[in-house]
Short mmCIF file of all heavy atoms in Angstrom, two decimals:
data_model
loop_
_atom_site.label_atom_id
_atom_site.label_comp_id
_atom_site.label_asym_id
_atom_site.label_seq_id
_atom_site.Cartn_x
_atom_site.Cartn_y
_atom_site.Cartn_z
N MET A 1114 0.82 -1.19 0.01
CA MET A 1114 0.01 0.00 0.00
C MET A 1114 0.86 1.25 0.00
O MET A 1114 1.82 1.31 0.76
CB MET A 1114 -0.88 0.01 1.25
CG MET A 1114 -1.93 -1.08 1.22
SD MET A 1114 -3.21 -0.74 2.38
CE MET A 1114 -2.77 -1.79 3.72
N GLY A 1115 0.55 2.17 -0.86
CA GLY A 1115 1.28 3.41 -0.93
C GLY A 1115 2.54 3.33 -1.77
O GLY A 1115 3.25 4.31 -1.90
N ARG A 1116 2.81 2.19 -2.31
CA ARG A 1116 4.03 2.03 -3.10
C ARG A 1116 3.96 2.81 -4.42
O ARG A 1116 4.94 3.29 -4.94
CB ARG A 1116 4.27 0.55 -3.35
CG ARG A 1116 5.42 0.25 -4.31
CD ARG A 1116 6.74 0.46 -3.65
NE ARG A 1116 7.79 0.06 -4.55
CZ ARG A 1116 8.81 0.82 -4.91
NH1 ARG A 1116 8.93 2.02 -4.42
NH2 ARG A 1116 9.73 0.39 -5.75
N GLY A 1117 2.76 2.94 -4.97
CA GLY A 1117 2.61 3.62 -6.24
C GLY A 1117 3.03 5.07 -6.19
O GLY A 1117 3.68 5.57 -7.13
N ARG A 1118 2.67 5.75 -5.13
CA ARG A 1118 3.05 7.17 -5.02
C ARG A 1118 4.56 7.33 -4.85
O ARG A 1118 5.19 8.20 -5.48
CB ARG A 1118 2.33 7.81 -3.81
CG ARG A 1118 2.64 9.27 -3.66
CD ARG A 1118 1.82 9.88 -2.57
NE ARG A 1118 0.43 9.96 -3.03
CZ ARG A 1118 -0.55 10.42 -2.30
NH1 ARG A 1118 -0.32 10.82 -1.06
NH2 ARG A 1118 -1.77 10.47 -2.76
N ALA A 1119 5.19 6.46 -4.05
CA ALA A 1119 6.65 6.54 -3.87
C ALA A 1119 7.38 6.23 -5.17
O ALA A 1119 8.37 6.86 -5.52
CB ALA A 1119 7.07 5.56 -2.77
N LYS A 1120 6.87 5.22 -5.89
CA LYS A 1120 7.52 4.84 -7.16
C LYS A 1120 7.36 5.96 -8.18
O LYS A 1120 8.28 6.26 -8.94
CB LYS A 1120 6.88 3.56 -7.69
CG LYS A 1120 7.60 3.03 -8.92
CD LYS A 1120 7.06 1.65 -9.31
CE LYS A 1120 7.84 0.98 -10.38
NZ LYS A 1120 8.14 1.76 -11.55
N ALA A 1121 6.19 6.61 -8.20
CA ALA A 1121 5.98 7.71 -9.14
C ALA A 1121 6.92 8.86 -8.84
O ALA A 1121 7.47 9.50 -9.75
CB ALA A 1121 4.53 8.19 -9.07
N LYS A 1122 7.16 9.14 -7.55
CA LYS A 1122 8.08 10.21 -7.21
C LYS A 1122 9.50 9.86 -7.61
O LYS A 1122 10.26 10.72 -8.11
CB LYS A 1122 8.01 10.52 -5.70
CG LYS A 1122 8.83 11.69 -5.30
CD LYS A 1122 8.58 12.12 -3.89
CE LYS A 1122 9.39 13.34 -3.59
NZ LYS A 1122 9.13 13.88 -2.28
N GLN A 1123 9.91 8.62 -7.38
CA GLN A 1123 11.25 8.20 -7.78
C GLN A 1123 11.41 8.27 -9.29
O GLN A 1123 12.46 8.70 -9.77
CB GLN A 1123 11.49 6.75 -7.33
CG GLN A 1123 11.67 6.62 -5.83
CD GLN A 1123 11.79 5.16 -5.41
OE1 GLN A 1123 11.55 4.24 -6.20
NE2 GLN A 1123 12.15 4.96 -4.16
N THR A 1124 10.37 7.93 -10.05
CA THR A 1124 10.43 8.02 -11.49
C THR A 1124 10.56 9.47 -11.93
O THR A 1124 11.32 9.79 -12.83
CB THR A 1124 9.16 7.38 -12.12
OG1 THR A 1124 9.09 6.03 -11.65
CG2 THR A 1124 9.21 7.42 -13.62
N LYS A 1125 9.81 10.35 -11.29
CA LYS A 1125 9.86 11.77 -11.61
C LYS A 1125 11.28 12.34 -11.38
O LYS A 1125 11.84 13.05 -12.19
CB LYS A 1125 8.86 12.53 -10.78
CG LYS A 1125 8.84 14.04 -11.04
CD LYS A 1125 7.86 14.72 -10.12
CE LYS A 1125 7.95 16.23 -10.30
NZ LYS A 1125 7.12 16.94 -9.35
N VAL A 1126 11.85 12.02 -10.22
CA VAL A 1126 13.21 12.49 -9.88
C VAL A 1126 14.22 11.92 -10.87
O VAL A 1126 15.12 12.63 -11.33
CB VAL A 1126 13.57 12.13 -8.43
CG1 VAL A 1126 15.00 12.38 -8.14
CG2 VAL A 1126 12.67 12.89 -7.47
N ALA A 1127 14.10 10.67 -11.22
CA ALA A 1127 15.03 10.05 -12.17
C ALA A 1127 14.94 10.71 -13.53
O ALA A 1127 15.98 10.96 -14.17
CB ALA A 1127 14.73 8.56 -12.29
N ARG A 1128 13.73 11.05 -13.98
CA ARG A 1128 13.60 11.72 -15.27
C ARG A 1128 14.20 13.10 -15.22
O ARG A 1128 14.83 13.55 -16.18
CB ARG A 1128 12.13 11.81 -15.64
CG ARG A 1128 11.59 10.51 -16.17
CD ARG A 1128 10.24 10.71 -16.83
NE ARG A 1128 9.72 9.42 -17.25
CZ ARG A 1128 8.55 8.92 -16.85
NH1 ARG A 1128 7.78 9.58 -16.03
NH2 ARG A 1128 8.17 7.75 -17.28
N GLU A 1129 14.01 13.83 -14.11
CA GLU A 1129 14.58 15.16 -13.98
C GLU A 1129 16.10 15.10 -14.04
O GLU A 1129 16.73 15.92 -14.69
CB GLU A 1129 14.12 15.81 -12.69
CG GLU A 1129 12.68 16.26 -12.69
CD GLU A 1129 12.26 16.81 -11.34
OE1 GLU A 1129 13.09 16.87 -10.42
OE2 GLU A 1129 11.08 17.16 -11.21
N LEU A 1130 16.68 14.13 -13.37
CA LEU A 1130 18.14 13.98 -13.40
C LEU A 1130 18.64 13.59 -14.78
O LEU A 1130 19.71 14.04 -15.21
CB LEU A 1130 18.59 12.94 -12.36
CG LEU A 1130 18.42 13.36 -10.90
CD1 LEU A 1130 18.74 12.16 -10.00
CD2 LEU A 1130 19.29 14.53 -10.58
N LYS A 1131 17.90 12.77 -15.45
CA LYS A 1131 18.34 12.27 -16.75
C LYS A 1131 18.23 13.34 -17.85
O LYS A 1131 19.14 13.47 -18.67
CB LYS A 1131 17.52 11.06 -17.15
CG LYS A 1131 17.96 10.40 -18.43
CD LYS A 1131 17.19 9.13 -18.74
CE LYS A 1131 17.63 8.48 -19.99
NZ LYS A 1131 16.89 7.26 -20.28
N TYR A 1132 17.14 14.07 -17.86
CA TYR A 1132 16.88 14.96 -18.98
C TYR A 1132 17.12 16.42 -18.73
O TYR A 1132 17.09 17.23 -19.65
CB TYR A 1132 15.42 14.77 -19.45
CG TYR A 1132 15.18 13.39 -19.99
CD1 TYR A 1132 14.33 12.52 -19.34
CD2 TYR A 1132 15.81 12.95 -21.14
CE1 TYR A 1132 14.09 11.25 -19.82
CE2 TYR A 1132 15.59 11.68 -21.64
CZ TYR A 1132 14.73 10.84 -20.98
OH TYR A 1132 14.51 9.59 -21.48
N SER A 1133 17.36 16.81 -17.48
CA SER A 1133 17.58 18.23 -17.22
C SER A 1133 18.99 18.64 -17.65
O SER A 1133 19.91 17.83 -17.60
CB SER A 1133 17.38 18.55 -15.74
OG SER A 1133 18.39 17.92 -14.97
N THR A 1134 19.13 19.87 -18.06
CA THR A 1134 20.46 20.38 -18.40
C THR A 1134 20.99 21.15 -17.21
O THR A 1134 20.33 22.02 -16.66
CB THR A 1134 20.38 21.30 -19.64
OG1 THR A 1134 19.48 22.35 -19.34
CG2 THR A 1134 19.93 20.54 -20.86
N ARG A 1135 22.14 20.84 -16.83
CA ARG A 1135 22.78 21.47 -15.68
C ARG A 1135 24.02 22.23 -16.17
O ARG A 1135 24.66 21.82 -17.11
CB ARG A 1135 23.18 20.47 -14.65
CG ARG A 1135 22.05 19.57 -14.20
CD ARG A 1135 22.05 19.45 -12.72
NE ARG A 1135 21.01 18.53 -12.28
CZ ARG A 1135 19.98 18.90 -11.57
NH1 ARG A 1135 19.85 20.13 -11.22
NH2 ARG A 1135 19.06 18.03 -11.22
N ASN A 1136 24.33 23.29 -15.49
CA ASN A 1136 25.56 24.04 -15.80
C ASN A 1136 26.72 23.28 -15.19
O ASN A 1136 26.81 23.13 -13.96
CB ASN A 1136 25.51 25.45 -15.24
CG ASN A 1136 24.43 26.25 -15.91
OD1 ASN A 1136 24.05 25.96 -17.03
ND2 ASN A 1136 23.94 27.28 -15.26
N THR A 1137 27.61 22.78 -16.01
CA THR A 1137 28.73 22.00 -15.55
C THR A 1137 29.97 22.87 -15.56
O THR A 1137 30.28 23.53 -16.57
CB THR A 1137 28.96 20.78 -16.47
OG1 THR A 1137 27.75 20.02 -16.50
CG2 THR A 1137 30.08 19.92 -15.95
N ASP A 1138 30.70 22.86 -14.45
CA ASP A 1138 31.96 23.58 -14.36
C ASP A 1138 33.08 22.65 -14.84
O ASP A 1138 33.61 21.86 -14.06
CB ASP A 1138 32.20 24.05 -12.94
CG ASP A 1138 33.41 24.93 -12.78
OD1 ASP A 1138 34.06 25.23 -13.81
OD2 ASP A 1138 33.73 25.33 -11.64
N PHE A 1139 33.39 22.75 -16.13
CA PHE A 1139 34.35 21.84 -16.72
C PHE A 1139 35.78 22.11 -16.20
O PHE A 1139 36.59 21.18 -16.13
CB PHE A 1139 34.32 21.93 -18.23
CG PHE A 1139 33.04 21.35 -18.80
CD1 PHE A 1139 32.07 22.16 -19.35
CD2 PHE A 1139 32.84 19.98 -18.82
CE1 PHE A 1139 30.92 21.64 -19.85
CE2 PHE A 1139 31.69 19.42 -19.31
CZ PHE A 1139 30.72 20.25 -19.85
N ASP A 1140 36.08 23.34 -15.80
CA ASP A 1140 37.38 23.64 -15.23
C ASP A 1140 37.57 22.93 -13.90
O ASP A 1140 38.64 22.34 -13.63
CB ASP A 1140 37.56 25.14 -15.06
CG ASP A 1140 37.61 25.86 -16.40
OD1 ASP A 1140 38.07 25.27 -17.38
OD2 ASP A 1140 37.18 27.04 -16.43
N ALA A 1141 36.54 22.94 -13.04
CA ALA A 1141 36.63 22.25 -11.78
C ALA A 1141 36.71 20.75 -11.98
O ALA A 1141 37.44 20.05 -11.27
CB ALA A 1141 35.43 22.61 -10.91
N LEU A 1142 35.96 20.27 -12.96
CA LEU A 1142 36.02 18.84 -13.26
C LEU A 1142 37.41 18.41 -13.74
O LEU A 1142 37.93 17.38 -13.32
CB LEU A 1142 34.97 18.48 -14.32
CG LEU A 1142 34.88 17.03 -14.75
CD1 LEU A 1142 34.51 16.14 -13.58
CD2 LEU A 1142 33.88 16.88 -15.86
N GLN A 1143 38.02 19.25 -14.57
CA GLN A 1143 39.38 18.94 -15.05
C GLN A 1143 40.38 18.95 -13.90
O GLN A 1143 41.24 18.09 -13.83
CB GLN A 1143 39.78 19.98 -16.10
CG GLN A 1143 41.17 19.76 -16.67
CD GLN A 1143 41.31 18.45 -17.40
OE1 GLN A 1143 40.39 17.99 -18.04
NE2 GLN A 1143 42.47 17.84 -17.29
N ARG A 1144 40.24 19.91 -12.99
CA ARG A 1144 41.14 19.94 -11.82
C ARG A 1144 40.98 18.71 -10.98
O ARG A 1144 41.95 18.12 -10.50
CB ARG A 1144 40.87 21.19 -10.99
CG ARG A 1144 41.43 22.46 -11.57
CD ARG A 1144 41.40 23.60 -10.57
NE ARG A 1144 40.08 23.84 -10.04
CZ ARG A 1144 39.18 24.66 -10.57
NH1 ARG A 1144 39.46 25.34 -11.67
NH2 ARG A 1144 38.01 24.82 -10.01
N GLU A 1145 39.73 18.26 -10.78
CA GLU A 1145 39.48 17.10 -9.94
C GLU A 1145 40.02 15.83 -10.58
O GLU A 1145 40.64 14.99 -9.94
CB GLU A 1145 37.97 16.96 -9.70
CG GLU A 1145 37.63 15.81 -8.80
CD GLU A 1145 36.15 15.74 -8.53
OE1 GLU A 1145 35.43 16.73 -8.77
OE2 GLU A 1145 35.71 14.68 -8.05
N LEU A 1146 39.83 15.70 -11.90
CA LEU A 1146 40.27 14.49 -12.58
C LEU A 1146 41.76 14.44 -12.77
O LEU A 1146 42.35 13.37 -12.81
CB LEU A 1146 39.58 14.40 -13.94
CG LEU A 1146 38.07 14.14 -13.88
CD1 LEU A 1146 37.49 14.15 -15.29
CD2 LEU A 1146 37.75 12.83 -13.19
N SER A 1147 42.41 15.61 -12.86
CA SER A 1147 43.85 15.61 -13.05
C SER A 1147 44.59 15.36 -11.75
O SER A 1147 45.76 15.02 -11.75
CB SER A 1147 44.30 16.95 -13.64
OG SER A 1147 44.09 17.99 -12.73
N GLY A 1148 43.90 15.52 -10.63
CA GLY A 1148 44.55 15.24 -9.33
C GLY A 1148 45.37 16.39 -8.80
O GLY A 1148 46.08 16.25 -7.82
N LYS A 1149 45.32 17.51 -9.46
CA LYS A 1149 46.06 18.67 -8.98
C LYS A 1149 45.36 19.28 -7.77
O LYS A 1149 44.15 19.45 -7.78
CB LYS A 1149 46.20 19.72 -10.08
CG LYS A 1149 47.03 19.25 -11.24
CD LYS A 1149 47.12 20.31 -12.30
CE LYS A 1149 47.91 19.80 -13.50
NZ LYS A 1149 47.93 20.76 -14.58
N PRO A 1150 46.09 19.60 -6.72
CA PRO A 1150 45.44 20.17 -5.55
C PRO A 1150 44.93 21.56 -5.84
O PRO A 1150 45.50 22.30 -6.61
CB PRO A 1150 46.56 20.19 -4.51
CG PRO A 1150 47.82 20.21 -5.28
CD PRO A 1150 47.54 19.44 -6.56
N ASP A 1151 43.82 21.88 -5.19
CA ASP A 1151 43.22 23.19 -5.32
C ASP A 1151 43.94 24.14 -4.40
O ASP A 1151 44.33 23.80 -3.28
CB ASP A 1151 41.74 23.12 -4.93
CG ASP A 1151 40.98 24.36 -5.31
OD1 ASP A 1151 41.54 25.20 -6.03
OD2 ASP A 1151 39.82 24.48 -4.87
N ASP A 1152 44.19 25.37 -4.84
CA ASP A 1152 44.93 26.34 -4.04
C ASP A 1152 44.19 26.70 -2.76
O ASP A 1152 44.80 27.07 -1.76
CB ASP A 1152 45.18 27.61 -4.87
CG ASP A 1152 46.11 27.35 -6.03
OD1 ASP A 1152 46.89 26.37 -5.95
OD2 ASP A 1152 46.09 28.12 -6.99
N ALA A 1153 42.87 26.64 -2.78
CA ALA A 1153 42.09 27.03 -1.61
C ALA A 1153 42.19 25.98 -0.50
O ALA A 1153 41.97 26.29 0.67
CB ALA A 1153 40.63 27.23 -2.00
N HIS A 1154 42.53 24.76 -0.84
CA HIS A 1154 42.61 23.69 0.16
C HIS A 1154 44.04 23.21 0.28
O HIS A 1154 44.52 22.37 -0.46
CB HIS A 1154 41.72 22.52 -0.25
CG HIS A 1154 40.27 22.87 -0.32
ND1 HIS A 1154 39.72 23.45 -1.42
CD2 HIS A 1154 39.29 22.77 0.57
CE1 HIS A 1154 38.44 23.67 -1.23
NE2 HIS A 1154 38.14 23.27 -0.01
N ASP A 1155 44.75 23.77 1.24
CA ASP A 1155 46.14 23.41 1.45
C ASP A 1155 46.20 22.26 2.44
O ASP A 1155 45.90 22.42 3.60
CB ASP A 1155 46.93 24.61 1.95
CG ASP A 1155 48.41 24.34 1.97
OD1 ASP A 1155 48.85 23.33 1.42
OD2 ASP A 1155 49.16 25.16 2.57
N GLU A 1156 46.57 21.08 1.97
CA GLU A 1156 46.60 19.91 2.85
C GLU A 1156 47.85 19.84 3.70
O GLU A 1156 47.95 18.98 4.57
CB GLU A 1156 46.47 18.64 2.00
CG GLU A 1156 45.14 18.53 1.28
CD GLU A 1156 45.02 17.26 0.49
OE1 GLU A 1156 45.87 16.37 0.69
OE2 GLU A 1156 44.11 17.15 -0.33
N ASP A 1157 48.79 20.69 3.48
CA ASP A 1157 50.05 20.64 4.23
C ASP A 1157 50.01 21.54 5.46
O ASP A 1157 51.05 21.85 6.03
CB ASP A 1157 51.20 21.04 3.33
CG ASP A 1157 51.43 20.04 2.22
OD1 ASP A 1157 51.09 18.86 2.43
OD2 ASP A 1157 51.92 20.45 1.16
N GLN A 1158 48.84 21.93 5.92
CA GLN A 1158 48.75 22.78 7.08
C GLN A 1158 49.09 21.96 8.33
O GLN A 1158 48.73 20.79 8.42
CB GLN A 1158 47.35 23.35 7.21
CG GLN A 1158 47.00 24.32 6.11
CD GLN A 1158 45.57 24.83 6.25
OE1 GLN A 1158 44.81 24.34 7.07
NE2 GLN A 1158 45.23 25.80 5.45
N HIS A 1159 49.76 22.59 9.25
CA HIS A 1159 50.16 21.90 10.46
C HIS A 1159 49.01 21.90 11.45
O HIS A 1159 48.38 22.89 11.70
CB HIS A 1159 51.37 22.63 11.09
CG HIS A 1159 51.80 22.01 12.38
ND1 HIS A 1159 52.37 20.77 12.44
CD2 HIS A 1159 51.76 22.46 13.65
CE1 HIS A 1159 52.64 20.48 13.69
NE2 HIS A 1159 52.28 21.50 14.44
N ASP A 1160 48.74 20.74 12.04
CA ASP A 1160 47.68 20.63 13.03
C ASP A 1160 48.33 20.37 14.40
O ASP A 1160 49.03 19.39 14.60
CB ASP A 1160 46.78 19.44 12.66
CG ASP A 1160 45.55 19.33 13.57
OD1 ASP A 1160 45.36 20.22 14.42
OD2 ASP A 1160 44.79 18.36 13.41
N ASP A 1161 48.09 21.27 15.35
CA ASP A 1161 48.69 21.16 16.68
C ASP A 1161 48.19 19.92 17.44
O ASP A 1161 48.86 19.42 18.32
CB ASP A 1161 48.41 22.40 17.50
CG ASP A 1161 49.11 23.62 16.93
OD1 ASP A 1161 50.16 23.45 16.28
OD2 ASP A 1161 48.60 24.75 17.15
N TYR A 1162 46.99 19.43 17.08
CA TYR A 1162 46.40 18.31 17.80
C TYR A 1162 46.70 16.97 17.12
O TYR A 1162 46.31 15.93 17.62
CB TYR A 1162 44.90 18.49 17.92
CG TYR A 1162 44.55 19.72 18.76
CD1 TYR A 1162 44.11 20.87 18.14
CD2 TYR A 1162 44.69 19.70 20.12
CE1 TYR A 1162 43.81 22.00 18.87
CE2 TYR A 1162 44.41 20.82 20.86
CZ TYR A 1162 43.94 21.97 20.25
OH TYR A 1162 43.66 23.08 20.98
N ASP A 1163 47.39 16.98 16.01
CA ASP A 1163 47.68 15.74 15.29
C ASP A 1163 48.88 15.08 15.94
O ASP A 1163 49.97 15.61 15.99
CB ASP A 1163 47.97 16.04 13.82
CG ASP A 1163 48.17 14.80 13.01
OD1 ASP A 1163 47.76 13.70 13.47
OD2 ASP A 1163 48.75 14.90 11.90
N ASP A 1164 48.65 13.83 16.40
CA ASP A 1164 49.76 13.10 17.02
C ASP A 1164 50.43 12.12 16.06
O ASP A 1164 51.37 11.43 16.41
CB ASP A 1164 49.28 12.37 18.28
CG ASP A 1164 48.16 11.39 18.00
OD1 ASP A 1164 47.77 11.22 16.84
OD2 ASP A 1164 47.68 10.78 18.98
N GLY A 1165 49.94 12.04 14.83
CA GLY A 1165 50.55 11.19 13.82
C GLY A 1165 50.08 9.76 13.81
O GLY A 1165 50.56 8.94 13.03
N TYR A 1166 49.10 9.42 14.64
CA TYR A 1166 48.64 8.03 14.72
C TYR A 1166 47.23 7.87 14.18
O TYR A 1166 46.60 6.85 14.43
CB TYR A 1166 48.66 7.55 16.17
CG TYR A 1166 50.07 7.37 16.67
CD1 TYR A 1166 50.67 8.34 17.47
CD2 TYR A 1166 50.82 6.25 16.34
CE1 TYR A 1166 51.98 8.18 17.91
CE2 TYR A 1166 52.11 6.10 16.77
CZ TYR A 1166 52.69 7.05 17.56
OH TYR A 1166 53.98 6.91 18.01
N ASP A 1167 46.71 8.83 13.42
CA ASP A 1167 45.36 8.73 12.89
C ASP A 1167 45.21 7.57 11.92
O ASP A 1167 44.13 6.96 11.83
CB ASP A 1167 44.96 10.02 12.19
CG ASP A 1167 44.69 11.13 13.17
OD1 ASP A 1167 44.43 10.84 14.36
OD2 ASP A 1167 44.74 12.30 12.76
N ASP A 1168 46.25 7.20 11.21
CA ASP A 1168 46.15 6.13 10.26
C ASP A 1168 46.05 4.77 10.95
O ASP A 1168 45.61 3.79 10.35
CB ASP A 1168 47.38 6.10 9.34
CG ASP A 1168 47.43 7.31 8.46
OD1 ASP A 1168 46.34 7.90 8.19
OD2 ASP A 1168 48.54 7.69 8.00
N TYR A 1169 46.42 4.69 12.19
CA TYR A 1169 46.42 3.41 12.92
C TYR A 1169 45.18 3.21 13.77
O TYR A 1169 44.95 2.14 14.27
CB TYR A 1169 47.67 3.31 13.80
CG TYR A 1169 48.94 3.46 13.00
CD1 TYR A 1169 49.70 4.63 13.05
CD2 TYR A 1169 49.37 2.45 12.14
CE1 TYR A 1169 50.85 4.78 12.30
CE2 TYR A 1169 50.52 2.58 11.40
CZ TYR A 1169 51.26 3.74 11.48
OH TYR A 1169 52.39 3.89 10.73
N ARG A 1170 44.39 4.24 13.97
CA ARG A 1170 43.18 4.12 14.81
C ARG A 1170 42.04 3.54 14.00
O ARG A 1170 41.97 3.68 12.79
CB ARG A 1170 42.77 5.53 15.30
CG ARG A 1170 43.75 6.08 16.28
CD ARG A 1170 43.16 7.30 16.92
NE ARG A 1170 44.15 7.86 17.84
CZ ARG A 1170 44.57 9.08 17.81
NH1 ARG A 1170 44.10 9.95 16.98
NH2 ARG A 1170 45.47 9.49 18.70
N ARG A 1171 41.16 2.88 14.68
CA ARG A 1171 39.97 2.30 14.02
C ARG A 1171 38.81 3.21 14.21
O ARG A 1171 38.51 3.84 15.03
CB ARG A 1171 39.63 0.95 14.61
CG ARG A 1171 40.66 -0.08 14.19
CD ARG A 1171 40.21 -1.42 14.65
NE ARG A 1171 41.17 -2.39 14.14
CZ ARG A 1171 40.95 -3.63 14.14
NH1 ARG A 1171 39.83 -4.13 14.57
NH2 ARG A 1171 41.84 -4.45 13.66
#
């Protein structure tokens, strides 16, 4: 019961995603795919609370 309405909404959303035109930032996509770090996000910042064991914790 009620599955028809949920399925119809999912179908509507899927069609919107498939057929809608979105503005794509191809420069950002190229930067992401090339693996070059973004200037705004500097990963080499020093963290005073980092003890160096984060890779070993679960």
Side-chain angles (χ1 to χ4, degrees):
M1114 292 198 259
R1116 174 73 176 127
R1118 182 174 289 178
K1120 187 173 188 312
K1122 185 170 184 176
Q1123 289 175 349
T1124 303
K1125 179 183 175 186
V1126 170
R1128 282 192 184 122
E1129 287 176 2
L1130 290 173
K1131 184 176 181 180
Y1132 295 114
S1133 67
T1134 58
R1135 306 225 183 245
N1136 294 336
T1137 304
D1138 186 2
F1139 290 108
D1140 293 329
L1142 181 62
Q1143 180 63 36
R1144 283 192 304 271
E1145 182 177 344
L1146 293 176
S1147 67
K1149 294 180 182 175
D1151 192 10
D1152 293 337
H1154 298 84
D1155 188 12
E1156 295 181 13
D1157 295 332
Q1158 293 177 352
H1159 178 68
D1160 186 6
D1161 293 333
Y1162 297 104
D1163 185 18
D1164 59 2
Y1166 290 100
D1167 287 340
D1168 294 336
Y1169 303 106
R1170 292 191 182 126
R1171 288 186 177 195

